Amino acid sequence: MRTIASCLTVGKGVSILRSLRQETDLLKKSQVMLVAVLLVAGCGSDGERTDGPRDVQPLAKAGSPAETGASNTAPIEAIDEADPVIAHIDKINITRSQIVKPLIEGYGLNVLLNTATLEMAKQQAAKLGLVVTPDDIAAEHDATLAKMFLEAKKEDYAQLLDQFLMQQHVSRPEFDIILETNAYLRKIAQPLVEASINDEKLQEAFKVLYGETVQIRHIQCSNPQEIAVAKRMLAAGEPFDEVARKVSRNQTTGPMGGELPPFSRNAAGYPQVFKDVAFSLKPGEVSDTVQAGDAYHLILLEKRIEPKAVKFEDVKESLRHDLADRLTQVQVKNLRVQLLDQITVSMKVEDPM
């Protein structure tokens, strides 16, 4: 869930806001802000409404009720075939243009961006001689939902997806466009990823998963003065976890007494100096002040965890699969950003509505 949400909402993902200067007289006086949000498994709209120019007249033929101000009560067969009636109440006809215009003004720009991204992905795949089948798109759909709803039963996916899209203000058609785009980008990314995976990278992944790890607690502070306070509390006999709960600035680990999950020397997401100090300590020993970026830490080593008794060759293929999956997700995200950059630079919006 977290991955997709980061793609559908601006706070956890990436929003691209660019201005495209229009060539119509109306849009020479203004700019259209392009809003597109990335998805991990993919990207989608964040549901933000983008109001178009309000002085644009409804789509209608000359002499139509929309132009003359007359009530749209003509018989269904009298309506222009280019603007068919899609509903009627007694003698009142609702035409397609009456629905399309507010939809385009409200949501058209995000849908336009997603559609343009899909078409560019298709074009790039075709140039590479790659074919995406309906089975590929179905597989992308199933894999995405499985990652979104890890703890849920498969039969609950449809209901959970509806709830999620409603919360994110994303329509189902938009979501389907995003999934189809991801299927094309994945097809493009996979050969690139497979060519980049070698034994060296697999050995690194093996060390991360099966090598020696350490279990630590830490106290994170904003400056040396706060660290000095924490040291005095420890020197006075207060338990490390209690001091962490009282003074640590880390909102995630502080309430947990500074506890971090076990990590290896090659684990990503930890500053190198932080890992070096953690692995240099003896069980029960507290480090001196460790500065990592703008933060200051005290580290308590609770225990070392010996490497798991696993042979590299026995898990090599599973490592390859996991690594390929993770790298493909990153590559898909990068490809999407590249396409959106191209769109915001080169796309010209011909219809001011």
Side-chain angles (χ1 to χ4, degrees), residues 40-59:
V40 153
C43 304
S45 165
D46 62 357
E48 180 179 349
R49 298 181 64 87
T50 306
D51 295 329
R54 294 301 178 189
D55 55 347
V56 178
Q57 297 301 315
L59 295 176

Side-chain angles (χ1 to χ4, degrees), residues 292-307:
D294 296 329
Y296 297 80
H297 304 264
L298 294 176
I299 300 173
L300 166 66
L301 175 62
E302 291 200 318
K303 62 180 177 179
R304 291 178 179 272
I305 303 173
E306 293 297 320

Side-chain angles (χ1 to χ4, degrees), residues 161-212:
L161 178 61
D162 288 341
Q163 294 173 356
F164 177 75
L165 295 179
M166 185 178 298
Q167 292 170 357
Q168 301 299 327
H169 305 291
V170 175
S171 68
R172 184 58 181 266
E174 286 179 278
F175 185 74
D176 290 342
I177 291 173
I178 291 161
L179 283 181
E180 186 175 356
T181 303
N182 284 348
Y184 276 90
L185 295 180
R186 184 176 299 277
K187 186 75 79 168
I188 296 169
Q190 283 174 337
L192 303 175
V193 169
E194 290 172 2
S196 70
I197 296 178
N198 52 34
D199 277 358
E200 182 179 354
K201 287 187 177 180
L202 292 175
Q203 287 284 1
E204 291 176 1
F206 177 78
K207 292 176 182 177
V208 169
L209 288 176
Y210 301 104
E212 181 186 32

